[in-house]
Amino acid sequence: MPVYTTACPRNCYSTCGMRVHVEDGEIRRIEPHTGNRATPEGVCLKGLSYVERVRSPDRILEPLRRTATGSYTSIEWSEALDLIATHLLRIRAESGPQSILYYAASGTKGLLNGAGAEFWRLFGGCTTTYGDLCWPAGLEATRLTLGDNRNNAPWDIANARLIVLWGKNPAETNIHQMPFVQQAREAGATVVVIDPRRTETAESADLWLRPRPGTDGAIALAAANEIIRLGGVDDQFVRDHVLGYDEFEARVASLSPAWAAEIAEIPEVQVRELGRLLAEVRPATISAGFGMQRYTNSGQTMRAILALLAVTGNLGRPGAGWVYANLQSAIFDEVKDPLAFFPPERPDGVMRVSISTARLGHDMLAQRDPPLRMAWVERGNPVTQNPETNRVLEAFRALEFRVVVDQFLTDTAREADLVLPAKSMFEQTDVIGAYWHPYLQLRQKVIEPPGAVKPETEIYRLLAERLGIPDEAIANRIPGPTDEEVEAFLEERLARFDGLSLERLREGPVLPPDHEEVAFADLRFPTPSGRVELRSEEAQRRWGIDPLPLYHESLESTRGEHAGRRVGAPDDPYPLYLMTPNTKNRIHSQFGNLRMIRRLDPAPAVHIHPDDAERRGIADGTPVRVYNDRGELRLPARLDPGLKSGCVSVTNGWWISDGGTVNFCSAGRETDIGFGAAFHDNLVEVEPSV
Amino acid sequence: MRGAFVFDPNRCTGCSACELACSIENQLGTDRSWRSVLSFNERGIPGVPVFHLSLACNHCETAACMEACPALAYERDPATGAVLIRQDACIGCRYCSWACPYGAPRFESDRGVMGKCTFCSHRLADGRKPACAALCPTGALDYETLDEDQLLAQIDGMPRTQLGPSIRILPLERRSTAGLTNAVTTGSGAGVPLDVTPHEPRIELAGEWSLAVFTLLLAVLFGLLAADTVGTRAVSPLLFATISALAAGLSLAHLGRPARAWRAVLGIRRSPVSREVLGFGLMASLGTLALSASEATVSAAAAWPGLAAGLVALVSADRVYGPVHHDGSPVLHSAGVLLTGLYLAGLMAGSAGMALLIGGGKLVRYVRRTRQAGVSGPGAAIRRLAVASRVGLGFVVPAAAWVIGGTPLTFWALVAAVLGEAIDRTEFYSELEIVSPARQQRLDLDERLAELPSSPPAPALIQS
Ligand code: SF4
Ligand code: SF4
C-alpha cells in the first residue's frame, strides 16, 4: 500500500504531520508522521475522520445552481463558468470591479490560496476585508511588546517549572500540547489554568482560577503587583531589556490582589498564589488562548499578561516565555501578521480593502461608490462564523449574485446562487506553515479529485480565460492545471530558501531557515526601542490606547454600561455572558456534519450553572431560548456546576439547522487593537422556551 | 509475559481518537467502534474528579465471553493471546455480552452476530501495535508486553473481576480538587438535580420477552409431564407438543442467527445455555413420546428420562442468569425457573406437600424482597396492583381452589397460578443488570459523592 507524507491544513494549532495509506485510490489509514516533533503520537479525531470526509455522500462533487424553489441542481462546469463570467462582466461594466466582494477565510492553509487575490487583481480589482476573526489583538499585543510573534518550540514547554494555561484549553483545541505539559508535570512542574469553565485542561491543574470573562487583565496586573511585593522581579533583565518598567511599577502599585479578586469574582488568595508562583518559580511559560483576546479590552489584557513574563525575566530561555502564535514558518509572507491584517495606509485603487471582518454584515451593507452587488466566498462559512449572523445573512441576501466554493452545503453555501465544489486537502499539493510548531510541511496530493471537483487554481484559470485575461498575465501568478505545473510553481517559491525543496518536504516536515528553538535567545527584541516594551508609544499612536497596559471593563460586561442597559438593575435585560468556545469535535464549523463526529456529539446544548438555571426555572434538558437584541438560539439546557455562575456556554460552529449557531447573538465589533473581532463581548438572557 | 493495553488516565483527554482509529482500521463503518471512551463524573459534580477510561476487550486470561458461549464461537489466537470471535460460528444469542464485565462483545444488529476487538491481531502479527494504541494523540493508550505483576485494573469505573484482564491502568493523580476550588464564590446549585445516569447496557424486558416466556413455558412443560407421569392428571400429547413447539419457536426468535441454532448445544461441557437447550429438547421430545405412547412401558421409559432432562433444563435456565443477577442466587429467586417448575408440578400433580413446601418458599422470598424494595414513589399504585395480582393469582387462587374443590385443580386455577408466576418472572427480568464499566461508574460515583464533605472547604491552593 503506498504511503504518502502530508499534513493537516486546518486552522488548528497542531497542523499535524501525517502518513496517509492509499489503496485503490482510497484513503485507508491516517497515521502520524513522527518527523513532526510536535505531533508524533497521532492525529486528532478530526484528522482521522478525513477517511469519511473525502468520501462523504454529502460532499459537493459538481457545480450546483440554485433553482427557483431554493433547491440545488447540478450543472456542467462550462455552464457554471459562463454564468459567473456573464455576471462578472456585466457588473464590472455597470458598477466597476469593486462592487464585487472577495471573501476568503481560514478554512484551509496553503501557498496556492494566493491564487484568489491574484485573480481579482487581474480582473481589475474587487472589494475585500481587513482584520481577522481569530487572533489579531494578541498578535498585535505581542508585536508591540516583544517586536515579533515568535515562540519557543512547542516541546520546550516540557522544560518549564511553571506553566500557566491562560484562557486556553489545549486538551480540546491543541491536544498535542498536553503530552508536553504532562512531561513537565511529571518532572515536577506546577500547572495553573485560568478559565471560567471547568475544562478538561482545568481538571488536571494544580491551581485553577475561574474568573468572570474579560477580567484577565486585572488578574495579570494584580499578579504583577504581588510579584513586585514579594521581590520576584528580575532586576537585571528589567534593567537591560525592558522599556517602561518604572512607570509600570508605579501603575500597578495600587492594583492589589484584593482589587483584582473583586473584579474577577475569584478568591483573593488565588490571585496572590498566581503572583507568588510567578515570583518564585522559574522558568515559567505562559500559553495564552485566543478566546480571551476577543473582547473589547483584550489588547490591553494581552499586554498585561505579557508584562508578567517581562518583569520576571521569563523570556529568551528554555522553558520560559510566551506561547501564543509562533509564526516562524510564515517565511513566504511579504508582510507578516498582524500587519497583513491592517488596511493599507495608501490604497492602490484596485483592491478596495474597506470591510472589517469583525463587522462583515454591517460593512457590506454600508459600502457606497460602488455598493456591493456580488460576492465570491471561499474557504469560509461567514454566515455561522462571523459575528451577527442575522446581519451577515441580510448583507448576503441583499446581493444580486453569490458564488461560494465549498466541499459541503454549509449555511453560507445555502445562500449562494452558485456553489462550486472545492478540492479536499488530499487532492492538490501545496506547502503549509503552522502557528504553534515551526514546521513547513507538504500537503501532498494523494488521490485524484472525485467527481467534477476542480482545485480553485484551475477554476480561476478557466474563468480568466472566459474573461479574456491573457495567458501571459496569469502564467506566473496562478499555476496551471497539471500536477507538474503545480509542483513547479511551488518549487520555484521554495527555491528562494536554502535547503527547501519538494523533495525534502516529501520526506517529512522541515524547520524553516533560521529557526529559533528558543525564541529571542539573543535577547534582541525587534521593537522600536530594541527592548521589551511595557510602555509602547506605538500602541498609543496607532490604537489610541494607554501606552502602558491597564484594565478597563470590556464594553459588554455585566459591570459596564452599553446600549442603554442599566447595569445591576433588576430589569437588566442581559445578565449572562455567552461563552462560545471551540470543541475537540470540530474546527469551527467543519467536521460537525460527519457521521463519525455526530456519533460523539450529536446536538448542541447550552451549559448553565445550576444556580442560574434554578433562578430561571430551568432543569437539566429543559428546552431554552438564549437571546439578546441581536438574535436568539433555541436548544436544550445542560446544567454544568463547573461553569462560572453568570456564564452560559455553547460551542461554536453548529450549523443553523442544528439550532446552536452562536453568532446569532454576537456583536460585530472590533477589538481595541489589531482589527480583531470582539465577538466574545456577548451578553444574553436565557429562558425556558415555550 | 503477555501483550496488554497500557492506559494512563492522567494523559487521556477523552478525545475519542482511539474509537475512530478502531472503526477505521477494522472497517466498521462510521457508526460503530469496538472501543469506547467513558467519562467518570461526566457531569462534573464538584469535588469529584472527571477522568476517562478508554476500553475495548482486555483479552482476559479467563475469558468470560468464551466460557459463556454455547456455540463455541470464541477462540484464542495462540500467537497473540487475543480472544477472537468467529462471526461465522456465532448464533447471536448475546450471552457473551452478559458475561463480559467490560462490555467488549457487542451485538451487530445488521448482521445478527456479535463483534468485538481483535487486539488488532493482524497488526500484532506484523509487529505493529493495535490501531487505537498506535494512534492515541496523547500517548495515553499504549500496547506493551508486560509481566503478570504489572497488570493492574483498579480505578473507579473498572469492574473488579478475577478474569485476569490484559491491561495496566496507571493510578489517577489529581493534585487540585478542581471542582471545589471556587466553591466560595458560587453556590452549590445543590437544589437542582443533574441527570448523572450513564448509558448502561441494560437487559430490557422489551428485548427479552421471548426468553421470559420461554423460561416460563419450560416450567409449565415440566409440571405437565410430571403430573402425567405420576398419574394424577392426564395430559394431552397435543397440548404438550404445541407448548413445546411454541417454546422452541420463542427461543429461536431470540437468536440473531436462528439458522445456526443447532450450534447452541456445542458448549455442553460448560455452558448452561447449551445444557438448557439440550435439556429442553430432550424433555420436549421424550415427553411427547411418553404422552402419546400407548404402551405403558414405553411411556414410563420415556417419561422419567424426560423429567430428568427437564430438571437439567430448569437448573441450567436459572444458571444462565448468574452473571446478570446480583441479589443472591437466581436459582433461589421467587421467580426462579427450577422453583417455578417444581411448584407447578406440585399444583398440577396435586402433591400438597410439594406445592406447600415450594410455594411457601417462593411466597416467603417474594414477600421479603418486595418489603425490602418498598413500594413508593411514582408508579406505586401500579406496583401495588402487580404485587397483589402476583400473590393473589399465584398463591391465593390455587390454594382456595384446592381447599374448595380438591384435586385435580381446575384448568382455570392452574392458569391463574401460571399468570402469577409470569408477573414474578417479569419482575425478575427488570432486576437483571449487566456488569459493565458504566454500571461500575455509577456505583463508584455514588460512593465518591457519599464521601464528600457537607460544607464547602476553603479555596484550594497548591497542595503539597
Ligand atoms: S485538526 Fe488539528 S489536531 Fe486534528 S489532525 Fe488536523 S491539525 Fe491535527
Ligand atoms: S485517543 Fe488517547 S487521549 Fe484520546 S480518548 Fe483515546 S486514550 Fe484518551
Side-chain angles (χ1 to χ4, degrees), chain A residues 43 48 175, chain B residues 7-8 11-19 21 35-37 52-54 132 135-142:
Chain A
V43 306
L48 293 174
I175 189 169
Chain B
F7 179 74
D8 184 351
R11 285 178 177 255
C12 176
T13 63
C15 74
S16 290
C18 48
E19 284 185 32
R35 177 166 284 278
S36 296
V37 179
H52 314 280
L53 268 183
S54 169
C132 54
L135 294 180
C136 166
T138 65
L141 187 66
D142 205 349

Side-chain angles (χ1 to χ4, degrees), chain A residues 28-29 31 41-42 45 48 175 185 198 200 203 205-206 208 210 270 273 584 595 599 611 620 638-639, chain B residues 15 17 19-20 24-25 27 31 43-44 48 50 52 134 137 175-176 178 181 187 189 192 194-195 462:
Chain A
R28 267 291 291 128
R29 222 182 254 135
E31 298 195 331
E41 299 276 359
L45 75 161
L48 293 174
I175 189 169
R185 193 198 309 274
R198 181 181 176 180
E200 196 59 45
E203 194 60 34
D206 297 280
W208 170 40
R210 184 161 57 169
Q270 292 189 338
E273 187 68 355
K584 70 179 176 70
R595 292 182 67 107
R599 189 168 71 81
D611 288 351
D620 220 11
R638 183 172 166 94
L639 303 198
Chain B
C15 74
E19 284 185 32
L20 262 56
I24 294 167
E25 179 71 29
Q27 309 207 23
D31 303 333
R43 304 305 308 272
V48 181
V50 177
H52 314 280
R175 283 181 286 175
S176 82
T181 314
V192 188
L194 292 186
D195 176 12
I462 307 295

Side-chain angles (χ1 to χ4, degrees), chain A residues 340-353:
Chain A
F341 295 142
F342 302 171
E345 272 158 27
R346 258 162 290 138
D348 59 11
V350 181
M351 305 295 260
R352 177 171 73 167
V353 189

